[in-house]
Amino acid sequence: MPSRCILSTGNVTTAGAEVIRKPTLEKSNTELVNSLRENFKAASYTLPPSANPNTTATSNPGKRLAPEEWTKVGPDGVLYVPAESSEPHGLAEDREEYEVTVKLFYLPGVPPSSRCTHTEEAVRLVCKELGISSLNLLIVSFPNISFDAEDEDISSEEDVNEWVRTYRTLESLHSAKKISRIGLAEFGTTRLSQLLPQTNVKPSVDQINVRDCCVVPKPLILYAKERGIELLTHNDCTDILPVETLRQLVVDEFGLFRTDTKLVPQWVVKYTAVIRSRGVVENKG
């Protein structure tokens, strides 16, 4: 059995309305889990012989395939779930028409030493999925960090050193022209002041989860403005893919692994490709 696997949602914008999250009502991992489930269903069922040409395997499933029929182990020894599509990937219009934003979640319990490899792999997979060579913005979210307007505690030297080591990878990707801009998530004034002096390429974006009626602290607004950092807000989950959620999906629902298999989610990456001139999301997953 392969020791690593890549789970993919496919393009969420082509899925039914039941997959798309309602931001004010649902957690961000609802859309992730629902879209993974629907993509797995579409790949793991055949259409019944009498199916209408417009029918999908999700809405009218036929025979359920064995896992080995709709998953594939690649040359790199990684199990791809579902198997990579033979249909052409990519964006419909010229690359310069798009703003491609990516957010990478480093998950709890994963050694910080793995982040360099995980970052490079995530960027490579998104570029391959969209048929592009670079991203406009990559935002990274560190585990066990949440934004608090009142929190002025200074992080430990060990934490800061881990951020810096990870940030060096982002700077390398920037130098290689794989990403145009770097973003951080959940960094208040204190965290930014600890990290920025040790960076060569300054972050362009700081994305924070504001729970108090969207009130951004004034010191952070001033600090970010002085340093040319754009402040954005989000409502993503802190723990976007808990182990039990993953187990229920891939073991209980789809039988991809034995019940005694140890599952350790490593990272989650989400991407959005927006057509600049029209402000339309064409591809998201």
Side-chain angles (χ1 to χ4, degrees):
M1 179 188 299
S3 60
R4 297 170 61 243
C5 69
I6 299 291
L7 312 178
S8 174
T9 66
N11 186 358
V12 176
T13 63
T14 62
E18 67 276 6
V19 171
I20 306 300
R21 174 173 61 115
K22 302 172 182 62
T24 57
L25 301 176
E26 300 173 344
K27 294 182 178 180
S28 62
N29 65 351
T30 300
E31 183 175 78
L32 170 63
V33 175
N34 284 349
S35 52
L36 284 171
R37 179 181 292 112
E38 295 304 309
N39 200 34
F40 294 176
K41 284 182 181 178
S44 62
Y45 284 91
T46 61
L47 288 175
S50 59
N52 183 295
N54 296 322
T55 300
T56 65
T58 299
S59 62
N60 188 15
K63 175 188 174 184
R64 186 167 187 174
L65 303 172
E68 58 270 18
E69 295 182 84
W70 61 279
T71 65
K72 182 179 180 181
V73 178
D76 51 4
V78 176
L79 176 67
Y80 288 86
V81 184
E84 295 180 285
S85 173
S86 58
E87 298 179 2
H89 294 280
L91 303 170
E93 303 185 27
D94 293 337
R95 173 64 181 92
E96 56 269 21
E97 297 294 325
Y98 295 90
E99 180 76 17
V100 179
T101 298
V102 170
K103 186 172 182 179
L104 174 60
F105 299 83
Y106 303 119
L107 302 186
V110 179
S113 58
S114 303
R115 290 177 190 158
C116 175
T117 302
H118 292 169
T119 304
E120 292 172 347
E121 183 176 36
V123 169
R124 177 182 62 81
L125 287 167
V126 172
C127 287
K128 182 179 180 182
E129 178 70 19
L130 298 180
I132 59 179
S133 59
S134 64
L135 311 175
N136 296 96
L137 171 63
L138 173 62
I139 299 171
V140 293
S141 176
F142 294 93
N144 305 316
I145 287 182
S146 58
F147 179 76
D148 187 339
E150 305 300 326
D151 183 11
E152 290 301 323
D153 290 339
I154 297 177
S155 298
S156 70
E157 184 178 353
E158 182 181 2
D159 286 339
V160 176
N161 288 339
E162 289 176 358
W163 301 341
V164 171
R165 281 194 291 269
T166 303
Y167 203 89
R168 293 283 178 261
T169 300
L170 307 181
E171 291 180 325
S172 296
L173 290 169
H174 181 272
S175 298
K177 301 188 184 304
K178 292 293 183 181
I179 58 176
S180 298
R181 298 193 296 156
I182 298 172
L184 300 167
E186 316 305 349
F187 271 59
T189 307
T190 304
R191 291 191 183 112
L192 286 172
S193 65
Q194 289 181 276
L195 176 64
L196 260 59
Q198 303 188 61
T199 63
N200 299 312
V201 179
K202 304 304 178 189
S204 302
V205 165
D206 184 18
Q207 190 187 55
I208 56 177
N209 193 337
V210 181
R211 289 162 292 186
D212 300 327
C213 302
C214 296
V215 176
V216 180
K218 189 173 182 180
L220 177 58
I221 294 174
L222 295 175
Y223 187 92
K225 185 176 182 180
E226 289 173 358
R227 289 155 182 80
I229 300 173
E230 181 182 5
L231 293 177
L232 302 177
T233 60
H234 73 89
N235 56 357
D236 292 321
C237 289
T238 303
D239 187 3
I240 195 166
L241 190 59
V243 176
E244 285 309 311
T245 300
L246 177 63
R247 174 171 293 280
Q248 181 179 351
L249 181 67
V250 300
V251 176
D252 298 344
E253 293 187 41
F254 289 92
L256 294 172
F257 306 104
R258 297 197 311 263
T259 55
D260 62 348
T261 301
K262 182 180 180 181
L263 300 175
V264 184
Q266 300 289 296
W267 50 265
V268 171
V269 67
K270 72 173 186 178
Y271 57 88
T272 307
V274 177
I275 302 175
R276 286 196 181 101
S277 59
R278 301 197 292 277
V280 174
V281 177
E282 179 186 292
N283 201 313
K284 174 184 177 183

